[in-house]
Amino acid sequence: MKKSIAELRRELLNLILFLLITLFCAHLNFEFFGINDTSPEYFVSFIAVILTINLYRLDLIKVFLLGLIADILVFNLLGSYALIFVVIYGCHYLAHRIMSINSNQQQLILLLCLIQVGFNFSYVIFFYHGDFNFNFLAYLINNFLTIALGIISFYVLRYIKR
Amino acid sequence: MAQQRKNQLNLFNPQSFTFLSFIFFVILSLALMGLDKKYNLGSQIKYHVELLKSPLYVTINAPLDLKNHIANYFKSQEQLLHENEALNKKIMQLDFELQKLNFIKEENTNLRQSLKIQELKKNQIITAEIIHPKKINNKVIITINKGASDHVKLGSAVLNNLGLIGQIVELYETKSMMMPATSNKFQVSAVTDKTKENFILSGNNSPFLEIKRYPISGKINIGDQILTSGLDHLYPRGIKIGKVEKIEPIGDSQYNRIIIRPFSTPEQLSHVSIIAE
């Protein structure tokens, strides 16, 4: 079912607002459980949620551009989030091609899978570029936090979308 | 029907996704990463975006600024008097130190003249404030409220009263970003205070610095102070960096790894000094 222009505009506004909130959170220095370097992968949660609930019908180019915007805004190496976003998009597309994902539970499982793919991929990229030291405890906590943030955002955005 | 179709935007067509386009974007991303790493492609874009991000910085710093304002406003007279007394004592101590330093300086100048040694470069010190955030997306990026308009230069050394803490790596008009000395991209030419041996010190993203390969026959001991050597012409000579914490073997019979604890880290500070030539 195609969406009307008004609907898409509203969703675009929601997307921009969500991006701004993600950017704001990424700039805050929350330290969870008193351990250094613990923070969720805000942008992985962001893209996984908007793809799962199909907030604003994104295509590959838009996902790539969103990734580039994220890279510029958080002073990352240009192209790193773009690559992560494109990979998440690819997995999302593949999941929809081989499975029928309609119910809430199915979407949630897809979200968890996308977050796992994006999170681990981001760890590989940032570790490869030497942006941080690998700490297994911080990895587990960050993974848990990213999933928790993803689930919360999923329900909030679904509610707003309704 | 035609009107209804016109009112709909075909922004997403899953059929348009092809494996080829996916591969294209993956390669494009990888190419961008490579180019940015090699040629710093994104720095110009980030320079302009920095201005757009100003409201974000203001918002993030607002609660802390407000807290400081309120704390200053409600400081009691007794507290202020106590602070004043402590500062006066410190001024007296520093005056005494200054007298000694003036004498040493004069003696040094005379010796340099008699030995015909070139005068040391005089450096301008810029005092700056560290602003929040200190981490962006879980990556330590220290932002300083002084930039190109305040004569800060790219690569300038950043220090405080305890010693060297980093280097300016991104420069904007009114702001700059510093890389902490503990970053794995940081390297500095250094010497010990006792043996005067030269070596390269590097960060490793942990709270410590290290000398990756130090000869077993070397004379470094635990507790030795490490200073900048000035050989890199980037950092002035004699800035304190840290203290030798540990000497550990690396599985090579010829070399050891030296772990150094820096005297201070930027995460703990609110003000820093930048050396501008």
Side-chain angles (χ1 to χ4, degrees):
Chain A
M1 198 182 77
K2 283 186 176 175
K3 291 175 180 176
S4 67
I5 292 176
E7 231 177 333
L8 281 167
R9 261 190 209 145
R10 205 187 62 223
E11 289 198 359
L12 179 64
L13 271 176
N14 284 339
L15 176 78
I16 293 169
L17 192 71
F18 191 31
L19 178 68
L20 287 175
I21 293 169
T22 309
L23 181 67
F24 183 76
C25 291
H27 278 72
L28 293 175
N29 301 321
F30 287 134
E31 262 182 19
F32 296 86
F33 310 112
I35 299 167
N36 210 3
D37 294 339
T38 48
S39 147
E41 261 297 339
Y42 295 101
F43 282 97
V44 168
S45 284
F46 162 78
I47 198 71
V49 169
I50 60 167
L51 282 174
T52 309
I53 64 164
N54 197 8
L55 177 70
Y56 179 71
R57 295 190 159 189
L58 295 169
D59 58 20
L60 197 54
I61 301 170
K62 285 181 193 134
V63 166
F64 175 77
L65 289 176
L66 266 176
L68 277 187
I69 292 170
D71 284 328
I72 291 165
L73 292 174
V74 295
F75 300 108
N76 257 351
L77 199 66
L78 213 60
S80 40
Y81 266 129
L83 180 61
I84 294 163
F85 283 18
V86 165
V87 168
I88 293 177
Y89 183 86
C91 292
H92 175 257
Y93 176 77
L94 196 70
H96 272 278
R97 285 286 288 191
I98 56 176
M99 288 180 280
S100 169
I101 297 159
N102 298 313
S103 72
N104 216 354
Q105 284 83 359
Q106 286 168 335
Q107 283 191 338
L108 256 179
I109 290 166
L110 175 66
L111 174 72
L112 295 184
C113 293
L114 292 183
I115 286 176
Q116 282 311 307
V117 169
F119 181 80
N120 288 302
F121 208 73
S122 70
Y123 248 71
V124 171
I125 288 178
F126 297 137
F127 184 67
Y128 177 72
H129 287 293
D131 284 340
F132 59 80
N133 253 5
F134 184 75
N135 175 350
F136 190 66
L137 185 62
Y139 167 84
L140 287 179
I141 293 170
N142 290 350
N143 201 339
F144 167 74
L145 290 172
T146 311
I147 291 170
L149 183 75
I151 293 170
I152 294 165
S153 313
F154 175 78
Y155 281 110
V156 169
L157 281 177
R158 268 186 76 93
Y159 179 76
I160 293 169
K161 205 185 165 195
R162 237 185 275 158
Chain B
M1 187 71 176
Q3 186 64 37
Q4 199 188 344
R5 272 193 188 166
K6 214 175 168 184
N7 284 342
Q8 289 172 340
L9 279 177
N10 189 13
L11 290 170
F12 179 78
N13 181 6
Q15 307 310 319
S16 70
F17 179 93
T18 59
F19 186 66
L20 209 66
S21 56
F22 174 74
I23 294 294
F24 170 75
F25 280 111
V26 169
I27 292 171
L28 185 63
S29 309
L30 288 170
L32 275 174
M33 281 158 75
L35 287 171
D36 193 21
K37 183 121 182 155
K38 194 159 188 189
Y39 302 109
N40 217 356
L41 205 68
S43 62
Q44 275 301 313
I45 308 166
K46 285 167 192 167
Y47 185 91
H48 296 291
V49 168
E50 192 51 34
L51 200 69
L52 293 174
K53 277 175 74 182
S54 297
L56 188 70
Y57 285 108
V58 173
T59 318
I60 289 169
N61 283 289
L64 200 74
D65 288 344
L66 189 72
K67 186 191 145 204
N68 288 342
H69 279 302
I70 292 170
N72 281 338
Y73 189 79
F74 288 105
K75 250 185 190 172
S76 68
Q77 198 192 358
E78 197 183 336
Q79 262 179 314
L80 286 171
L81 284 170
H82 188 71
E83 227 170 74
N84 195 16
E85 198 181 330
L87 284 171
N88 276 331
K89 271 184 191 168
K90 190 141 198 179
I91 287 172
M92 273 168 66
Q93 273 176 4
L94 289 173
D95 266 343
F96 179 65
E97 292 288 322
L98 192 66
Q99 279 174 32
K100 276 203 291 188
L101 277 176
N102 279 337
F103 175 71
I104 292 167
K105 196 178 161 189
E106 220 165 276
E107 201 175 49
N108 187 290
T109 315
N110 290 337
L111 280 169
R112 278 180 182 279
Q113 274 172 1
S114 59
L115 292 169
K116 292 181 182 162
I117 300 173
Q118 212 181 354
E119 271 290 313
L120 285 174
K121 272 188 197 170
K122 277 182 185 159
N123 298 300
Q124 189 197 342
I125 304 272
I126 301 162
T127 309
E129 196 182 333
I130 292 179
I131 54 173
H132 285 270
K134 290 180 183 178
K135 264 185 188 178
I136 297 177
N137 208 29
N138 214 10
K139 206 165 73 179
V140 179
I141 296 175
I142 312 284
T143 315
I144 293 165
N145 72 342
K146 293 279 158 77
S149 58
D150 305 290
H151 311 293
V152 175
K153 300 256 158 54
L154 208 62
S156 300
V158 184
L159 54 142
N160 72 347
N161 56 337
L162 296 173
L164 184 74
I165 48 173
Q167 183 190 16
I168 301 290
V169 284
E170 301 241 5
L171 189 65
Y172 304 105
E173 202 54 32
T174 54
K175 269 195 225 77
S176 48
M177 309 266 176
M178 68 162 272
M179 173 169 66
T182 48
S183 161
N184 66 345
K185 288 169 189 163
F186 185 88
Q187 285 194 327
V188 59
S189 164
V191 287
T192 58
D193 58 340
K194 286 174 189 157
T195 61
K196 303 289 177 200
E197 275 178 289
N198 281 294
F199 41 80
I200 302 287
L201 202 66
S202 49
N204 56 8
N205 276 353
S206 73
F208 302 99
L209 294 153
E210 64 177 7
I211 305 168
K212 284 179 180 146
R213 288 164 76 83
Y214 183 76
I216 276 184
S217 55
K219 287 166 189 161
I220 281 188
N221 290 314
I222 291 173
D224 283 0
Q225 273 194 19
I226 309 289
L227 317 166
T228 55
S229 70
L231 285 178
D232 47 20
H233 299 288
L234 199 60
Y235 305 102
R237 196 178 169 177
I239 300 173
K240 284 184 192 171
I241 302 173
K243 213 179 211 182
V244 177
E245 174 101 353
K246 216 169 32 172
I247 301 171
E248 52 183 37
I250 52 167
D252 187 325
S253 58
Q254 298 297 310
Y255 297 98
N256 277 333
R257 181 167 169 252
I258 313 283
I259 309 287
I260 291 130
R261 180 183 285 279
F263 285 121
S264 73
T265 53
E267 286 94 333
Q268 309 156 345
L269 308 168
S270 59
H271 285 83
V272 290
S273 300
I274 304 162
I275 294 182
E277 278 181 19

